[in-house]
Amino acid sequence: MSRTTTPPATPTAAPPMAAGAAPAHGGLTDALAATPWEELVTSALLGTDRRPPEGASGTGPDGAAAALLDAAALHTVRRRAGLLPAAASPPPAPAPDDPRPPLPEAARGRLAQLLADRAAGSGGRRGTAPDLTELIPQWLATANVHGYRAPDSALPSLLDAARARTDLRPQTLEFAGPRGLWLAGLNPEWKFALRGASGSALLPSPDDSEAVQRLWEEGLFAERIALLGAVRARDADAARALLAATWKTERAEDRLMFVDSLRTGLSADDEEFLERALADRSRNVRATAAELLSALPGSALARRMADRALSCVSPGLTGDEPFVAVEAPHECDEGMQRDGVVALPPSGRGERSWWLGQLVEASPLSVWPARFGGRGAAEIVALPVADGWGEELHAAWCRAAVRQRDAAWARALLGPPSTPPSNGPGTASLAERAKLLAVLPPAERASWVADFIAAHGLSEAFQLLGVCPVPWDRPLGRAVVDALDIARDAGSYPWSFSGVMGLAERCLDPSEADRLEVLTTTPAEPADASPGANGYWSEAFQRLVSTLRLRATMDSELSGSPER
Amino acid sequence: MLLTDGGEPLGAAASAARWTVEQVLALAPDDASRKAGNKLGAAGSWSDTGWDVTGAVWGLCKGSGSKPYRTVVDTTGPAYKCSCPSRKFPCKHALGLLLLRAADDAAVPAGSPPDWAEEWLTGRRARAEAKARPAGSDGAAGPADPEAARKRAEKRAERIGGGARELEQRLTDLLRGGLASAEQAGYGLWEETAARMVDAQAPGLAGRVRELGAVPASGPGWPMRLLEECALLHLLDSAWLGRDRLPPALAATVRTRVGLPASPEGPPVRDRWLVLAQYDTPEGKIVTRRIWLYGEESGRTALLLSFGAAGRSPAQALPVGVTIDAALTPHPGSGQLRAELGERFGVPVPAVTPPPGVTAAEAIGSYGRALGDDPWLESWPVTLRDVIPVPSPDGWQLIDAEAGEALPVTPAALNRPALWKLVAVSGGEPVTVFGECGHRGFDPLAAWPSAAVAAHAGTSASAVSAASAGIETVALI
């Protein structure tokens, strides 16, 4: 399409009345009126003193300029009045049909409200009103469970929201559906939607092997990674075969992403491919392949690592009390390096402990009970460790438990929730503990965290709460609320707990709202409290209650049965 | 689409006084108010809320002080009243109250207004009636001293004449020296001339002059555009100086274009007016709000203008997509669409059908015809039917697939994120679009999904039948 929007019409196309509307017709000679527009522009650009327009009557220099303006006015109005439509460019292919049912009206209004809040940006004191932006993820998740179709006019705001917040993307794209994807394909700002959208409408069906093969060979990197993900989700072997066919010609950065894509649906069938990738030219590819192999307890790499680890960690032989003896490796040989052990430690760490950590981390946890006379995970973790290696060894076991998703070891390394974090068997790091928790079954996670909060309060609970299933079950919810109430009675300010408060707003079961109502009053301030704290607390609890009520309303709007 | 409350039949008034969330959000004077109002659109902040069949909604909103703010909205106006000190209009409390009513059926119960609300409502309605009734006789009475007024008007006309002659001379000088020199002169030259026009009490001329300053920096083809604008300005000068010889209607148009205030005259037109679009444009320190209306009976399109100075938002705000039964008084002048909103009858109701549309060729043709009445027109309001929006990096088009013809979208409109809603609603299928069609292209302001699509959505919608629920008007600005 040309940039000049509408083609200028021929003068004959102009309705006569447009010319008649020019009231300054008097001084205009017919000759000048007929002068082509381009010539008028040239005269105007250079100046009528230098280049008088042809046909201007001889009324002096001012007269020539005025005559030019008269003629230009006539031309302008005539051109505008005679505009014609341009030739149509080809329309986009129609959006694919979306058979999902439309949102109930109330839910639709709610969505507009949530999205408007996001667009306006956040800031300022929070007051007692709910933070709407934070409720978008929950709203989307519930809408997707019901299987509603997104309102067409909301699609741009949804895509904008997902563009700004990566955590919203999967839910938003599911909700936006095929029409959302169609729209994203038309606006370069929404390119992200076309990446990694598995089962995307723009990718060929994984069953269409010919189209898959063609896109794999000719597509752009983003398309290929999306394709690989989609095929992998359907048929892990087919994806690996695709990868193996072109492996030798891929660039190192691409190989890294491709290897990483095997993480989903990883199985023993991938071992052979990964084992070959251990000899890759790129160090990052080798490291990723080794990491994936070590997560396959039956793999040859896992066995090799276990052999090495077992030679370093053994039951102590001296004295009466059992203990763990550690003899860290003295060198990092070529074989270890090929299996993904990084030889050079980060600054500040001894190389022997660095190597030990990697060996233990990559070994299947199942080798240890046999090594320690049939003891279970908890018993092994409870054994004293000689020569101050305990911290290093336990940290490595933690990483192994997370990587191998071993609940028994995770449980053992977390220890009972009532033990203070600094004395626990595994790690004092909250981030590591949160990862261990994530390995446990959901219900167990929640009850562990509930007991932890009951014992230690909220000051270290934020990260742990983040891995609990939402909505929080009753014991966990009550533990959090009780702990908040205790914190208030202790006279601290609510913003010391703003993180937990925010989580509670989003994760507490909405049915708890009525029970929480009593906390929204402002009781008399104890003498030792921070000044004004009670007012802020009651505001925070009011916000908690109003958010919970709003979430309940949102859910009932989405289920299509108005709450009475 | 204005919902149901779970199967109970809704009276006309009940659904009327309740706007959708989108409509309320569109009423906000700015983003900050929209955000603040949105926060208040949840039950937590409100008490003693209610609405009644006359279209009133009220409530108490807890603010930072000890006394709650008293907020009342008369949706028939619509008019807003709040005891808060905000100069925003409608304020965040009024928006919050309307959002609460829009979003949560149970949050605002039906009732009768408390005394503090009742007082304002009756007062306002009495004033509105009083204003509507003697409007005709008021014009006949005229100013207190017609002789003095005539003298003042003559004096002003003289000053404008002086300004117009001075401007003529400047344009002539510019043309004699060549437009190429204007590129170097920059804004300074035009700013000074604009100031002279302000002194001459011709704000219309001043505004056009100021715009000339930006043309040389507007990219390739600027000499052509500058010549066009100079020529139209020259046309306006000459028209003003020779206005005695113009037909009365055109002379009235020239007076308006030069910047003389006009008051509405002519018989009021009562109709069911569909609110097509509402948008604000900052012009210097003043914000101009334009509201486009379409009369379902008369087929007329009318423009309501209101202004807000120094941080205040314009007082008039109508929700897009509703129909109001009201009398409009048009302004004089040929090719003029401006009107004043007069008496209103009953509460606004959701619109049932979009305005009838025309083809792309007819749309651009109607702009051409309108130029015959007012050659200074930049654009003309048109509803296009069955056009498909085609976004492209080189500029958008609205294509009429059947005729193979297209109108380009004005480049300025492409900066508006809301324009993507047009594509989203279309989904590659034909839609009805209202907008301003001019020599720079088509500026889409509102869209309606095609009837087939709407009907399809209607059949699968829960309990609401498509006919009683009205249609969805998608605002594009």
Side-chain angles (χ1 to χ4, degrees):
Chain A
M1 194 184 81
S2 75
R3 209 163 235 296
T4 41
T5 52
T6 29
T10 51
T12 50
M17 64 171 111
H25 202 237
L28 190 58
T29 63
D30 289 346
L32 199 49
T35 309
W37 170 248
E38 289 69 26
E39 270 182 42
L40 292 180
V41 176
T42 310
S43 282
L45 197 56
L46 299 175
T48 51
D49 283 1
R50 244 165 294 174
R51 174 139 176 189
E54 262 175 69
S57 45
T59 47
D62 277 1
L68 174 69
L69 283 170
D70 280 345
L74 178 62
H75 268 281
T76 301
V77 178
R78 188 162 60 187
R79 188 186 68 79
R80 291 184 180 180
L83 287 172
L84 295 172
S89 39
D97 197 33
D98 187 344
R100 293 178 292 176
L103 282 174
E105 193 54 45
R108 195 189 152 129
R110 185 71 60 193
L111 174 65
Q113 222 181 332
L114 298 182
L115 290 172
D117 193 63
R118 194 202 72 82
S122 58
R125 203 164 72 90
R126 298 194 53 207
T128 58
D131 188 341
L132 299 180
T133 311
E134 289 301 327
L135 298 178
I136 295 179
Q138 190 207 336
W139 191 96
L140 287 171
T142 316
N144 285 335
V145 167
H146 287 286
Y148 287 120
R149 168 189 177 157
D152 295 342
S153 56
L155 290 175
S157 312
L158 281 167
L159 288 169
D160 280 342
R163 179 175 178 237
R165 278 182 58 178
T166 43
D167 60 318
L168 288 178
R169 285 183 188 175
Q171 293 283 12
T172 308
L173 291 178
E174 184 186 341
F175 182 52
R179 201 181 182 94
L181 217 53
W182 172 87
L183 189 63
L186 296 170
N187 186 346
E189 295 209 337
W190 297 328
K191 258 195 191 135
F192 71 86
L194 311 180
R195 278 198 296 272
S198 57
S200 130
L202 301 183
L203 291 175
S205 151
D207 300 329
D208 183 354
S209 61
E210 200 174 306
V212 165
Q213 196 66 37
R214 188 161 359 100
L215 186 64
W216 178 251
E217 278 162 15
E218 298 166 9
L220 301 170
F221 175 68
E223 289 169 330
R224 301 180 67 207
I225 204 90
L227 178 72
L228 190 64
V231 176
R232 176 88 182 166
R234 178 72 67 88
D235 180 353
D237 294 341
R240 203 177 47 249
L242 215 52
L243 199 50
T246 56
W247 184 252
K248 292 224 157 36
T249 59
E250 306 289 356
R251 297 180 311 149
E253 310 90 278
D254 297 1
R255 287 203 305 274
L256 180 61
M257 294 296 285
F258 290 146
V259 165
D260 203 61
S261 75
L262 296 181
R263 202 177 288 273
T264 29
L266 185 68
S267 74
D269 295 338
D270 297 317
E271 188 187 345
E272 197 194 327
F273 181 84
L274 289 170
E275 188 73 33
R276 265 182 286 139
L278 285 178
D280 198 89
R281 290 189 300 281
S282 155
R283 194 167 64 100
N284 287 331
V285 173
R286 291 199 301 269
T288 309
E291 190 200 327
L292 291 176
L293 281 171
S294 69
L296 291 171
S299 69
L301 177 129
R303 273 197 307 281
R304 290 198 294 274
M305 293 304 260
D307 289 345
R308 293 181 185 116
L310 288 170
S311 72
C312 295
V313 180
S314 53
L317 297 172
T318 54
D320 300 334
E321 294 293 312
F323 69 97
V324 181
V326 174
E327 179 69 23
H330 291 275
E331 58 162 356
C332 182
D333 59 32
E334 251 174 57
M336 281 163 73
Q337 291 193 40
R338 182 176 176 280
D339 283 348
V341 177
V342 179
L344 195 66
S347 61
R349 289 201 59 175
E351 52 184 15
R352 289 184 62 203
S353 73
W354 171 246
W355 296 331
L356 174 75
Q358 295 180 76
L359 293 183
V360 173
E361 178 184 355
S363 305
L365 287 162
S366 53
V367 302
W368 301 113
R371 182 66 161 164
F372 287 94
R375 287 185 175 85
E379 291 164 291
I380 296 173
V381 168
L383 288 176
V385 181
D387 306 328
W389 285 103
E391 204 175 310
E392 202 67 52
L393 184 62
H394 284 163
W397 275 336
C398 284
R399 294 196 298 275
V402 170
R403 190 186 286 187
Q404 295 164 32
R405 309 204 59 75
D406 189 318
W409 275 85
R411 201 173 292 125
L413 288 159
L414 278 167
S418 52
T419 318
S422 48
N423 300 345
T427 165
S429 147
L430 288 167
E432 296 280 337
R433 301 183 128 222
K435 283 190 200 159
L436 285 174
L437 265 178
V439 175
L440 298 182
E444 191 180 343
R445 267 180 246 167
S447 82
W448 195 93
V449 175
D451 292 345
F452 179 87
I453 290 172
H456 310 296
L458 290 169
S459 50
E460 290 178 311
F462 179 72
Q463 277 177 310
L464 305 181
L465 283 168
V467 296
C468 292
V470 177
W472 292 341
D473 62 16
R474 182 161 293 187
L476 177 58
R478 300 220 162 147
V480 171
V481 172
D482 288 347
L484 285 171
D485 200 20
I486 290 167
R488 166 165 76 169
D489 290 345
S492 31
Y493 280 117
W495 41 83
S496 316
F497 301 94
S498 57
V500 173
M501 219 28 152
L503 274 180
E505 286 164 16
R506 297 195 291 281
C507 307
L508 267 181
D509 191 319
S511 62
E512 294 281 308
D514 293 331
R515 218 178 63 87
L516 285 166
E517 190 82 60
V518 291
L519 295 172
T520 59
T521 52
T522 312
E525 219 153 79
D528 55 346
S530 318
N534 265 344
Y536 291 118
W537 273 107
S538 92
E539 189 177 275
F541 278 121
Q542 277 172 37
R543 187 174 61 238
L544 180 57
V545 170
S546 67
T547 309
L548 294 180
R549 297 243 155 90
L550 180 58
R551 282 173 50 209
T553 313
M554 274 170 33
D555 284 347
S556 70
E557 284 166 354
L558 280 166
S559 65
S561 57
E563 197 185 34
R564 286 281 149 172
Chain B
M1 90 186 231
L2 272 182
L3 62 92
T4 159
D5 58 356
E8 292 169 32
L10 287 170
S15 67
R18 194 159 164 210
W19 299 333
T20 64
V21 170
E22 287 95 335
Q23 285 170 338
V24 177
L25 289 172
L27 285 176
D30 51 46
D31 276 351
S33 305
R34 186 172 300 132
K35 162 100 177 165
N38 210 351
K39 276 208 178 303
L40 293 173
S45 320
W46 293 91
S47 56
D48 294 328
T49 54
W51 62 273
D52 70 9
V53 288
T54 67
V57 189
W58 59 87
L60 298 178
C61 183
K62 213 173 93 179
S64 46
S66 58
K67 266 177 89 172
Y69 293 122
R70 295 166 161 185
T71 311
V72 205
V73 180
D74 180 354
T75 54
T76 57
Y80 318 89
K81 165 79 180 166
C82 183
S83 60
C84 77
S86 167
R87 303 188 335 151
K88 294 287 170 55
F89 210 82
C91 71
K92 61 180 179 180
H93 305 104
L95 291 171
L97 180 61
L98 288 172
L99 280 174
L100 184 67
R101 172 131 169 75
D104 191 351
D105 201 25
V108 183
S112 57
D115 290 347
W116 54 266
E118 181 69 40
E119 196 178 317
W120 176 78
L121 286 166
T122 31
R124 200 199 83 77
R125 284 168 183 165
R127 276 196 305 281
E129 267 173 44
K131 203 173 131 197
R133 221 164 280 135
S137 56
D138 206 37
D145 186 351
E147 182 59 22
R150 196 182 56 78
K151 273 196 178 151
R152 274 200 304 277
E154 255 174 36
K155 204 158 175 211
R156 178 163 186 189
E158 234 168 71
R159 298 182 74 161
I160 296 176
R165 270 187 291 274
E166 183 180 339
L167 182 54
E168 266 307 277
Q169 193 55 54
R170 296 219 175 185
L171 288 175
T172 312
D173 290 349
L174 175 68
L175 266 289
R176 285 182 58 183
L179 297 181
S181 64
E183 197 179 10
Q184 283 105 49
Y187 281 97
L189 168 75
W190 300 113
E191 279 301 326
E192 189 215 325
T193 314
R196 299 283 301 153
M197 294 305 112
V198 171
D199 291 346
Q201 292 186 295
L205 294 179
R208 288 186 159 264
V209 169
R210 215 171 278 128
E211 278 168 27
L212 287 183
V215 177
S218 67
W222 68 266
M224 182 186 125
R225 284 194 294 278
L226 187 57
L227 178 59
E228 282 185 347
E229 293 308 320
C230 286
L232 288 174
L233 195 49
H234 162 77
L235 187 66
L236 187 54
D237 283 341
S238 331
W240 171 262
L241 296 171
R243 66 189 180 284
D244 300 346
R245 303 196 301 277
L246 296 178
L250 185 56
T253 299
V254 169
R255 275 197 293 275
T256 311
R257 289 279 173 201
V258 164
L260 283 177
S263 46
E265 57 184 46
V269 184
R270 180 170 170 185
D271 202 340
R272 288 193 308 279
W273 297 96
L274 165 58
V275 183
L276 298 167
Q278 168 179 318
Y279 65 96
D280 292 353
T281 17
E283 283 158 17
K285 286 179 185 151
I286 293 181
V287 175
T288 306
R289 174 168 294 169
R290 289 177 172 79
I291 302 177
W292 283 112
L293 301 175
Y294 173 78
E296 287 178 1
E297 296 268 297
S298 60
R300 280 172 81 136
T301 304
L303 175 66
L304 303 180
L305 282 182
S306 51
F307 305 93
R312 280 173 178 264
S313 47
Q316 207 163 46
L318 296 175
V320 169
V322 304
T323 305
I324 48 176
D325 184 356
L328 291 195
T329 316
H331 275 243
S334 56
Q336 302 301 297
L337 297 166
R338 190 176 168 193
E340 294 298 325
L341 189 56
E343 196 180 347
R344 268 144 279 182
F345 310 90
V347 291
V349 294
V352 181
T353 81
V358 299
T359 64
E362 285 164 342
I364 194 79
S366 68
Y367 167 65
R369 276 193 302 284
L371 282 175
D373 289 331
D374 178 359
W376 299 278
L377 268 181
E378 290 289 306
S379 61
W380 189 249
V382 192
T383 303
L384 289 173
R385 72 167 134 84
D386 295 340
V387 285
I388 304 173
V390 183
S392 122
D394 314 321
W396 290 32
Q397 280 192 335
L398 297 174
I399 67 168
D400 179 339
E402 230 164 80
E405 293 174 338
L407 292 180
V409 173
T410 6
L414 299 182
N415 301 325
R416 295 204 304 263
L419 202 60
W420 281 99
K421 281 198 217 167
L422 178 59
V423 188
V425 166
S426 143
E429 306 283 347
V431 286
T432 302
V433 184
F434 168 79
E436 296 169 9
C437 183
H439 61 94
R440 290 195 180 87
F442 190 91
D443 190 353
L445 299 176
W448 298 266
S450 69
V453 175
H456 171 74
T459 50
S460 40
S462 49
V464 200
S465 90
S468 70
I471 46 148
E472 186 197 3
T473 304
V474 180
L476 301 176
I477 189 161

